[in-house]
């Protein structure tokens, strides 16, 4: 990788006070415990009073500068090897001391919720990893959420560095932590993780304006969005407010006795099962509030005891009441529900459990195949089974009519800032683009799965745009291919998720880019699968190859080419490692074949050396093959002997 002069994000403000006196101060980002990139020139810059003298001392070297007429100043320190801790002192009319600075490798981690997801969210799966975390030289900085539609921001709104030691590792991105841990164990070099990620966001929001030079329609939107009055007039908040005002009140909260109260007598409530969606249990197209209620018998051992309730996942929001007391709530569908029950609330015998569920769109209710129980350190009681339910509120259909022009004009844009082009790049990445980094980790795509045909070009815009801003055409860029998700499909079918994975595969077109395949790491009922460790460690394997230049097998088999021979199609692969195999010792699965009509049927397939032969006796003139072509393929079992899965693909 080429190294170039880069600037360290030691941005200093001046803080004007009375009598014209000013002093250098530092934003929250600059705290003890930061990690700076090794083997890169370090430039420190900031602001002070015009003509103010500034002195910076670091690693035994002193640099002086005089602020210009605008108050700008900068000093430069030479490249440093990995090590530390060091102390930096910056002096003007006041003095700032920064301690415990490490020099190592800094990785910018970005994307949407699967990059956000903290170790804390997965603390059941990774309880031992949290308890045994003792890596003070692995550090994590979570960039505060911020959008900016007017242009790149210069500053971040707070934040702090955290250290991977026991409980302090909980806020770390789980994917990023396991990535860093594997590299640290391998090389012993301090690792800094700068995590700029926001759940539910599209790739467009993360691309800088320079990356959009081949997208005139996006540039037009970017320019429109710089007009604050225009943005306010098209705001999603305005629309949401209009919709909220149309909603009726919840009957469960407006009566003399709320429905969660122990003394409330439920009359004419219907029976329903937990888990399950209410649309699958005799309720049609209901968006609104549904109350669930049940008397749960608890053993004597739980009397007055502290406990924990697992309520799986609920679509969309929920509030849990036990014996009339609210013990927990979640405002959106994705987090796993884990609620602590305080001492003295539970009692032996019957306890009243009430769950208020709010759903805004699609199927509402309790996601199947998740844990639903209450437990203490002595006993566990299952919460699955039949409950009583009653609808407290029905929401009116969504009305977009106020966001259209006349009948001859197209619909107006509804602006949600975090989804707009450049918005998150400007607010969360731009302040870091002068910080030297080792490379980028990217985990995103779920929010673009409905528009897979655009994703290849957008990925190139992201990668090329960021490399351009960082001034490094060889900046390592490692990204995660989407895992399996959704209902398993047992017949060949088209799939947006498969098409998006194909776009991700096609993005891999230079030696400094790498993709990890995760088609075996997802969960059918959770867009945030628990297995973050294997994703992070596969990313670390890729980093060992493209950033640390190790001669290793770092990917599973990737489709390379195909040829038709008589009634069979022969597939060739790259990244076969020690050879092709199946992970279960069974025959190859999840292959489809079609003739000229592209009517795909399941195929037979076998490994022949470093190739796969695919056929179906009912397709005498085959033209096309697909592998693992579904949102959630049933059994994609093609691997290399190193245990890395093959990427889904289709032949052309």
């Amino acid at each position: 990788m080429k190294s170039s002069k880069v600037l360290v994000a030691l941005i200093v403000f001046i803080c004007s006070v009375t009598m014209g006196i000013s002093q250098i101060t530092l934003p929250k980002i600059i705290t003890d415990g930061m990690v700076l990139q090794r083997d890169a020139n370090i430039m420190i810059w900031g602001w002070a009073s015009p003509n103010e003298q500034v002195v910076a001392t670091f690693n035994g070297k002193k640099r002086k500068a005089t602020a210009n007429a605008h108050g700008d100043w900068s000093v430069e320190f030479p490249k440093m090897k990995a090590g530390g801790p060091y102390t930096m002192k910056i002096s003007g009319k006041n003095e700032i001391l920064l301690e415990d600075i490490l020099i190592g490798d800094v990785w910018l981690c970005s994307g949407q919720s699967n990059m956000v997801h903290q170790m804390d969210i997965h603390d059941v799966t990774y309880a031992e990893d949290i308890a045994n975390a003792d890596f003070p030289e692995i550090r994590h900085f979570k960039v505060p959420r911020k959008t900016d539609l007017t242009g790149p921001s210069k500053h971040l709104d707070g934040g702090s560095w955290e250290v991977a030691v026991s409980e302090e590792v909980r806020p770390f991105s789980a994917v990023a932590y396991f990535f860093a841990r594997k590299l640290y164990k391998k090389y012993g070099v301090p690792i800094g993780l700068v995590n700029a990620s926001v759940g539910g966001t599209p790739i467009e929001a993360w691309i800088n304006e320079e990356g959009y030079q081949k997208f005139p329609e996006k540039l037009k939107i970017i320019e429109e969005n710089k007009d604050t009055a225009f943005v306010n007039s098209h705001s999603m908040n305005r629309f949401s407010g209009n919709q909220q005002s149309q909603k009726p009140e919840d009957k469960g909260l407006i009566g003399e006795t709320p429905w969660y109260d122990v003394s409330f007598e439920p009359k004419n409530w219907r029976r329903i099962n937990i888990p399950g969606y209410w649309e699958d249990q005799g309720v049609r197209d209901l968006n609104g509030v549904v109350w669930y209620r049940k008397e749960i018998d608890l053993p004597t051992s739980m009397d007055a005891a502290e406990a924990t309730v697992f309520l799986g996942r609920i679509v969309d929001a929920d509030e849990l009441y036990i014996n009339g007391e609210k013990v927990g709530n979640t405002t959106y569908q994705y987090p796993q529900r884990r609620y602590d029950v305080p001492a003295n609330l539970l009692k032996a015998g019957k306890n009243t459990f009430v769950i208020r569920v709010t759903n805004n769109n699609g199927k509402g209710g309790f996601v199947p195949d998740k844990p639903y129980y209450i437990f203490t350190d002595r006993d566990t009681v299952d919460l699955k089974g039949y409950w009583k339910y009653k609808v407290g509120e029905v929401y009116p259909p969504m009305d977009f009519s106020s966001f259209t022009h006349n009948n001859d004009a197209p619909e107006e844009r509804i602006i949600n800032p975090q989804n707009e082009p450049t918005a998150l790049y400007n607010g969360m990445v731009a302040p870091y683009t002068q910080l030297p980094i080792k490379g980028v980790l990217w985990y995103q795509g779920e929010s673009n799965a409905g528009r897979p045909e655009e994703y290849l070009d957008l990925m190139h815009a992201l990668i090329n745009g960021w490399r351009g801003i960082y001034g490094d055409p060889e900046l390592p860029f490692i990204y995660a291919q989407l895992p399996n998700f959704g209902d398993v499909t047992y017949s060949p079918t088209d799939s947006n998720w498969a098409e998006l994975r194909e776009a991700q595969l096609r993005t891999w077109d230079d030696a400094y880019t790498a993709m990890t395949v995760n088609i075996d790491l997802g969960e059918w009922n959770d867009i945030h699968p628990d297995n973050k460790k294997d994703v992070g460690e596969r990313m670390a394997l890729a980093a060992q190859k493209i950033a640390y230049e190790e001669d290793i097998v770092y990917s599973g088999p990737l489709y390379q080419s195909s040829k038709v021979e008589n009634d069979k199609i022969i597939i060739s692969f790259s990244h076969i490692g020690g050879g092709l195999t199946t992970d279960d010792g069974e025959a190859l699965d999840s292959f489809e074949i079609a003739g000229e009509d592209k009517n795909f049927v399941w195929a037979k397939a076998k490994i022949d050396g470093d190739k796969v032969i695919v056929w179906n006796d009912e397709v005498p003139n085959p033209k096309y093959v697909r592998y693992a072509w579904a949102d959630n393929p049933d059994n994609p079992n093609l691997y290399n002997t190193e245990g890395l899965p093959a990427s889904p693909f289709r032949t052309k």
Side-chain angles (χ1 to χ4, degrees):
M1 171 182 172
K2 296 177 181 177
S3 66
S4 58
K5 180 160 62 175
V6 283
L7 305 181
V8 177
L10 292 173
I11 306 174
V12 285
F13 298 84
I14 79 167
C15 185
S16 297
V17 294
T18 57
M19 301 179 62
I21 300 173
S22 67
Q23 58 183 352
I24 303 170
T25 61
L26 294 175
K28 290 182 180 179
I29 178 178
I30 304 308
T31 59
D32 294 340
M34 76 178 84
V35 182
L36 303 178
Q37 181 59 41
R38 61 175 170 159
D39 302 326
N41 292 344
I42 301 172
M43 185 174 288
I44 305 165
W45 76 97
W47 294 269
S49 299
N51 303 314
E52 184 175 352
Q53 300 296 310
V54 178
V55 178
T57 305
F58 186 45
N59 192 28
K61 297 178 175 60
K62 182 178 292 187
R63 298 290 187 268
K64 298 180 180 181
T66 301
N68 64 20
H70 301 289
D72 301 325
W73 62 267
S74 64
V75 297
E76 182 178 301
F77 289 97
K79 302 175 184 178
M80 296 173 64
K81 298 297 182 183
Y86 298 99
T87 297
M88 180 182 295
K89 183 170 72 173
I90 303 173
S91 302
K93 294 179 180 179
N94 64 314
E95 183 176 286
I96 298 167
L97 200 64
L98 305 173
E99 299 180 316
D100 194 25
I101 298 172
L102 298 180
I103 307 297
D105 288 336
V106 179
W107 288 86
L108 176 58
C109 312
S110 190
Q112 59 181 110
S113 50
N114 275 306
M115 184 61 80
V116 173
H117 260 224
Q118 306 95 328
M119 291 290 287
D120 189 49
I121 292 176
H122 303 274
D123 61 353
V124 174
T125 300
Y126 298 119
E128 290 187 12
D129 296 280
I130 293 171
N132 297 327
D134 188 18
F135 302 97
E137 292 191 337
I138 297 176
R139 301 179 181 185
H140 180 272
F141 183 89
K142 182 66 174 77
V143 178
R145 180 186 300 201
K146 179 183 177 182
T147 60
D148 195 329
L149 298 179
T150 62
S153 299
K154 292 183 178 181
H155 311 297
L156 298 178
D157 293 339
S160 61
W161 287 93
E162 294 152 334
V163 180
V165 177
S166 192
E167 293 296 303
E168 293 183 56
V169 81
R170 286 181 175 274
F172 279 50
S173 158
V175 166
Y177 171 68
F178 288 116
F179 166 86
R181 190 179 74 173
K182 185 174 178 69
L183 291 183
Y184 184 79
K185 288 182 176 180
K186 174 71 175 178
Y187 301 112
V189 172
I191 302 289
L193 303 166
V194 179
N195 183 4
S197 51
V198 177
T201 54
I203 188 174
E204 288 91 338
W206 295 101
I207 300 171
N208 57 310
E209 186 170 351
E210 292 82 354
Y212 279 122
Q213 294 311 302
K214 295 181 180 179
F215 296 81
E217 74 287 355
K218 300 292 186 187
L219 292 174
K220 179 183 177 182
I221 291 172
I222 292 167
E223 197 60 33
E224 286 179 343
N225 288 347
K226 293 178 182 178
D227 182 344
T228 303
F230 176 86
V231 171
N232 290 339
S233 69
H234 291 71
S235 170
M236 184 70 183
N237 291 334
R238 171 188 155 198
F239 170 76
S240 299
N242 290 342
Q243 292 301 119
Q244 189 67 36
S245 65
Q246 299 176 32
K247 293 180 179 179
E249 294 182 319
D250 182 358
K251 297 175 184 176
L253 297 175
I254 62 177
E256 290 185 8
T257 305
W259 292 359
Y260 60 77
D261 195 277
V262 175
S263 64
F264 175 76
E265 296 183 15
K267 298 178 180 179
N268 301 317
W269 285 45
R270 297 175 180 270
R271 192 172 75 159
I272 197 167
N273 195 64
I274 292 180
Y277 302 106
W278 57 66
E279 277 86 353
D280 295 334
Q281 301 185 70
V283 179
R284 178 179 296 176
D285 299 332
L286 171 63
N287 296 325
V289 177
V290 177
W291 292 76
Y292 290 70
R293 187 180 177 105
K294 187 174 184 177
E295 299 296 323
I296 304 292
D297 282 317
L298 299 180
T300 303
S301 63
M302 287 189 173
D303 186 59
E306 293 183 351
T308 301
V309 175
F310 278 14
L311 284 180
R313 283 184 50 236
I314 300 173
V315 183
D316 292 303
D318 65 280
E319 298 170 7
L320 171 64
Y321 299 86
I322 299 178
N323 295 329
E325 299 292 330
K326 184 176 177 179
V327 298
N329 74 288
T330 304
T331 58
Y332 65 111
Q333 66 169 295
Y334 293 116
Q336 300 176 62
R337 273 57 171 179
R338 296 170 181 166
Y339 299 137
D340 292 330
V341 181
N344 301 315
L345 180 58
L346 301 178
K347 58 186 179 181
K350 292 188 179 300
N351 292 257
T352 302
F353 280 59
V354 177
I355 307 169
R356 180 179 184 264
V357 179
T358 303
N359 180 53
N360 298 301
N361 189 41
K363 290 184 175 183
F366 296 76
V367 176
D369 198 22
K370 289 290 181 181
Y372 296 91
Y373 53 86
I374 182 170
F375 66 95
T376 65
D377 56 357
R378 298 180 61 185
D379 277 299
T380 299
V381 174
D382 194 0
L383 299 179
K384 295 191 297 293
Y386 286 113
W387 290 53
K388 296 290 186 179
Y389 85 92
K390 193 172 184 65
V391 176
E393 189 172 2
V394 178
Y395 294 163
M398 301 289 276
D399 180 12
F400 290 88
S401 60
S402 62
F403 277 80
T404 60
H405 292 289
N406 59 50
N407 292 334
D408 297 324
E411 290 186 356
E412 294 184 27
R413 290 197 293 119
I414 301 173
I415 296 177
N416 180 355
Q418 73 171 24
N419 295 339
E420 293 297 302
T422 74
L424 292 171
Y425 167 81
N426 288 342
M428 297 178 65
V429 178
Y432 257 95
T433 52
Q434 296 186 89
L435 174 77
I437 61 174
K438 184 71 171 180
V440 175
L441 302 184
W442 176 254
Y443 193 157
Q444 192 277 338
E446 298 90 341
S447 290
N448 287 84
R451 300 174 285 118
E453 67 281 352
E454 305 171 347
Y455 201 73
L456 175 62
D457 290 339
L458 291 171
M459 278 290 285
H460 282 139
L462 177 76
I463 295 170
N464 295 333
W466 284 19
R467 285 175 172 171
I469 287 294
Y470 277 101
D472 186 357
E474 298 175 356
L475 181 70
F477 198 101
I478 299 167
Y479 59 97
Q481 190 185 56
L482 290 185
N484 50 309
F485 171 67
D487 294 336
V488 177
T489 308
Y490 289 97
S491 297
T493 185
D494 292 329
S495 164
N496 282 342
W497 276 58
E499 288 191 33
L500 192 128
R501 293 186 196 108
E502 179 183 59
Q504 292 174 317
L505 176 60
R506 292 176 61 197
T507 300
W508 191 349
D509 57 7
D510 70 58
Y512 302 97
T513 303
M515 179 189 79
T516 65
V517 178
N518 306 298
I519 197 63
D520 56 339
L521 302 182
E523 298 177 25
W524 77 269
N525 58 1
D526 202 332
I527 205 167
H528 303 123
D530 244 355
N531 191 343
K532 296 293 189 283
K533 181 177 180 181
D534 284 341
V535 178
E537 291 192 344
R538 287 176 184 177
M539 284 183 147
L541 271 181
Q544 287 179 242
K545 175 66 176 181
I546 69 170
Y548 297 91
E549 300 180 350
E550 293 275 345
D551 184 16
I552 60 170
V553 176
Y554 65 105
S555 171
L558 303 182
Y559 169 74
Q560 189 172 52
S561 63
S562 64
K563 64 179 180 179
V564 179
E565 287 190 359
N566 299 319
D567 60 350
K568 296 179 175 62
I569 297 182
I570 301 174
I571 312 293
S572 296
F573 297 88
S574 60
H575 297 275
I576 61 174
L580 301 177
T581 188
T582 59
D583 71 325
D584 55 9
E586 302 295 329
L588 286 173
D589 205 339
S590 295
F591 280 89
E592 308 168 25
I593 197 166
E596 193 68 41
D597 58 7
K598 293 188 178 180
N599 289 326
F600 283 91
V601 296
W602 293 122
K604 296 180 180 179
K606 68 176 182 179
I607 296 169
D608 184 15
D610 59 358
K611 296 177 171 53
V612 170
I613 301 173
V614 186
W615 76 98
N616 182 306
D617 294 336
E618 303 300 318
V619 184
N621 297 303
K623 297 293 183 183
Y624 305 100
V625 166
R626 300 193 305 204
Y627 171 70
W629 198 263
D631 293 1
N632 188 4
D634 177 37
N635 183 32
N637 61 349
L638 177 61
Y639 285 66
N640 57 25
T641 55
E642 285 75 13
L644 298 171
S647 170
F649 68 89
R650 61 179 170 181
T651 64
K652 297 294 184 181

